[in-house]
Amino acid sequence: MQHELYMKRCVQLAKLGAGSVAPNPMVGAVLVHQDRIIGEGYHQKYGEAHAEVNCINSVAAADVHLISKSTLYVSLEPCAHLGKTPPCTNLILTHKIPAVVIGCKDIFAAVNGLGIELLQQQGVETIVGILQEECLLLNKRFNTFHILKRPYIILKWAQTADAKIAHADFSAVAISNAFSNRLVHKWRSEEAAILVGTNTAWFDNPSLTTRLWLGKNPTRIIIDAHLKTPSHYNVLNGEAKTIVYNAIQQYEGGKVTYIKIDFNQDIIPQILTSLFLLGIQSVLVEGGATLHQSFINANLWDEARVVTNTKMYLQNGIQAPQIAFDSNDDAYNMEGDKISFHSNLNK
């Protein structure tokens, strides 16, 4: 039970890096001496110190002599290769830490068991697989990207109580409340990119930024086959990096990149392949209904997050995407808006 307790803390710590560490995975670490935590850390920002480094560096001066008598808990296998930072396995060996408890293996090709193997070869007691499912789920974006060779796809839409997302003429209607809107901006800050279709860009003129939440703006992705979006629209204002998938031109300049794809073929696989090659690990799809349905029909989605205004009805509006939800999926109420979460990971 003690192993699970400290691994849960590792997972808690790792989540603090959400939105800041990609394309690296989120990782948390805890150093324990005789059932007392003497150090904690997590990977805070891409390119900077890993969780193990921050954990060991957090040990108080009075406890430094205990490091070589402690057990290190880490949610993900320590790296054994030189990347942006030195290998964490070397750090563990340098400090003569005698035991390491690991949540799950790192599927990244440069690690993938090598860290565990190196520790074992050097006589470090190594336990692997504590809260493995929870630790794997922690880095579902990272794992999906490297295993399936595509970004992790999150579908998000707001709908009325009668499952409508806009007026029949595509004009926008304010469905979600101020609390839900802020939550959505938090979601945006946690993903690498945000994607909308032509009609959403044209009729809503969205900014697709995190202006209601403290965090980085995702890369904005627009599907606009014939480049209809006016140059003065918010999505082309240079406030955030933007990619426009179109049928006309291939051009990269400033903060707006135009990528030409074949609209006579299914565009979703083309876009996902392109985003994989660009290193974009996750995409929040925000509209519209046709685009959402394309992902659903192709079974190329991993999560759906639906905001439902339980008091609003729009009888002649545009129908929300059709998706098979499990009655056991998570949901909660936010000042009259129902926020529901649906997973496609095991379907």
Side-chain angles (χ1 to χ4, degrees):
M1 286 296 292
Q2 289 299 94
H3 287 338
E4 285 80 1
L5 177 66
Y6 295 125
M7 192 58 69
K8 279 186 178 294
R9 180 56 180 159
C10 289
V11 171
Q12 287 178 335
L13 290 166
K15 290 178 179 178
L16 298 176
S20 301
V21 302
N24 282 353
M26 294 181 285
V27 185
V30 174
L31 193 63
V32 179
H33 178 262
Q34 295 184 354
D35 291 333
R36 179 169 72 91
I37 294 177
I38 64 170
E40 291 187 336
Y42 66 96
H43 186 28
Q44 298 179 13
K45 188 175 181 181
Y46 174 68
E48 296 185 359
H50 286 187
E52 297 91 330
V53 177
N54 289 329
C55 176
I56 291 172
N57 287 344
S58 76
V59 176
D63 289 332
V64 167
H65 70 286
L66 299 176
I67 294 177
S68 62
K69 304 173 185 177
S70 301
T71 298
L72 177 67
Y73 290 81
V74 61
S75 58
L76 186 70
E77 174 185 4
C79 61
H81 67 293
L82 179 63
K84 292 281 186 180
T85 59
C88 290
T89 48
N90 288 4
L91 180 72
I92 293 168
L93 296 173
T94 297
H95 284 276
K96 296 181 170 56
I97 295 173
V100 178
V101 180
I102 298 167
C104 63
K105 251 174 67 171
D106 187 341
I107 56 90
F108 185 53
V111 186
N112 197 21
L114 294 178
I116 295 169
E117 183 180 345
L118 178 60
L119 292 175
Q120 292 174 335
Q121 287 175 349
Q122 297 300 313
V124 177
E125 180 186 354
T126 308
I127 300 173
V128 183
I130 302 299
L131 295 186
Q132 179 171 274
E133 185 174 341
E134 195 169 338
C135 291
L136 285 169
L137 194 60
L138 179 66
N139 287 304
K140 53 196 175 186
R141 296 164 181 81
F142 179 85
N143 293 334
T144 296
F145 183 83
H146 288 286
I147 294 172
L148 299 182
K149 309 300 180 186
R150 67 162 174 81
Y152 186 86
I153 303 299
I154 302 171
L155 308 180
K156 173 268 162 184
W157 68 85
Q159 63 182 27
T160 59
D162 55 347
K164 302 297 190 297
I165 66 168
H167 291 295
D169 62 358
F170 290 98
S171 59
V173 56
I175 295 176
S176 50
N177 63 36
F179 299 97
S180 299
N181 289 340
R182 182 163 294 192
L183 175 63
V184 169
H185 283 228
K186 177 180 182 293
W187 292 343
R188 290 177 178 179
S189 74
E190 295 170 347
E191 308 309 330
I194 181 170
L195 169 65
V196 298
T198 306
N199 286 335
T200 299
W202 177 261
F203 289 102
D204 293 0
N205 188 19
S207 295
L208 305 181
T209 60
T210 58
R211 59 196 180 279
L212 300 181
W213 191 265
L214 183 63
K216 65 175 180 60
N217 289 322
T219 295
R220 303 182 292 197
I221 305 170
I222 315 300
I223 300 175
D224 187 357
H226 305 295
L227 299 180
K228 289 171 48 179
T229 307
S231 59
H232 65 275
Y233 266 35
N234 293 328
V235 292
L236 300 178
N237 63 10
E239 185 178 358
K241 183 177 179 180
T242 305
I243 298 171
V244 182
Y245 285 101
N246 69 97
I248 298 174
Q249 67 175 357
Q250 182 87 18
Y251 172 75
E252 182 175 355
K255 285 197 171 184
V256 181
T257 297
Y258 293 87
I259 298 178
K260 187 176 179 181
I261 58 176
D262 185 358
F263 279 79
N264 293 317
Q265 305 292 327
D266 188 351
I267 65 170
I268 300 300
Q270 295 179 68
I271 290 173
L272 295 186
T273 297
S274 171
L275 294 177
F276 173 77
L277 295 174
L278 290 171
I280 292 178
Q281 286 191 2
S282 64
V283 178
L284 182 66
V285 182
E286 284 210 18
T290 301
L291 181 60
H292 276 126
Q293 202 63 52
S294 296
F295 278 95
I296 294 167
N297 292 346
N299 199 32
L300 288 171
W301 65 282
D302 301 292
E303 286 183 39
R305 302 175 183 177
V306 183
V307 180
T308 303
N309 185 323
T310 58
K311 300 178 181 178
M312 178 183 290
Y313 292 83
L314 198 64
Q315 295 179 355
N316 297 318
I318 295 172
Q319 185 69 36
Q322 302 296 299
I323 195 169
F325 291 148
D326 190 325
S327 59
N328 294 321
D329 286 343
D330 293 334
Y332 61 84
N333 187 281
M334 182 172 282
E335 298 295 325
D337 282 356
K338 178 184 176 183
I339 316 293
S340 56
F341 299 85
H342 313 278
S343 174
N344 195 36
L345 294 179
N346 299 314
K347 297 177 182 177

